[in-house]
Amino acid sequence: VVIAGDFSEAGDALRSMMVEKAFGQAGLRVVIEEYMTGPEVSVLTFTDGRTVIPMVSAQDHKRAYDGDQGPNTGGMGAFSPSRVYTPDIAREVEECIIRPTVKAMAEERRPFKGVLYFGLMLTPQGPKVLEYNARFGDPETQVVLPRLKTDIVDIFEAVIDGRLDEINVAWEDNAAVCVVLASGGYPKSYRTGYEISGIEEALKDPDVMVFHAGTKKIDGKYYTSGGRVLGVTAIAKDLDTAIHKAYQSVNNIYFENMHYRRDIGRK
Ligand code: GLY
């Protein structure tokens, strides 16, 4: 994706992809979309193809370094709820984006069942869709699902059976923050195989969860095996407390060259 600030930058991107073939054959077909500005919010939904139930909102942090600097990554952290996704915006998104999307797929006889991810941008002209994903989001899921009160298996079964309208999906009135611990150098080159310590200490807090992404276990010990190594999620009554708790837990964990952002949840 090239975010072009003007026609000349867009022209350069097209020349590089389609004439100079910077991406080989893959660049011969391109999609041109409207340039948008504003905060990004992720809204995941459950749908059985007819009924659609939005989950609580979340925001992720894609850049490698604090202050949204540095290269794009698979996600350096996330928090839920979003501070900018107000109940009024949520109503508008549900009415103008979420329900029409699911309805249109049903009308085209391609009803979608499962988790549909709405990547939104809250532009000065109102909320707009950046992308859809037919899956959960990473690392948004690590802050959304810990807030779910209802048994997720009951929801999945209702999705499969087409009776989501019978389910009351309930959420905790709290907040969650996930800090991703990455291998130094990620998303470019990095080394793996370092022993990870402190996971058990972090887990002593019952409001903390540690999700494994790039780890491997050998003889009962964990070692790094990828770019994004762990996701440390903390749950608390509000975002500020959850941020504090997540970073306190991160302080317990160590591996060589460990890198993480210090500003997760501060957007
Ligand atoms: N966090 C972005 C995604 O899951 O696509």
Side-chain angles (χ1 to χ4, degrees), residues 42 60-62 74-75 117 131 133 135-141 228:
S42 308
D60 68 351
H61 297 257
K62 292 200 173 80
Y117 168 128
E131 59 169 350
N133 290 310
R135 55 165 172 81
F136 278 103
D138 177 9
E140 290 94 328
T141 310
R228 288 188 302 153

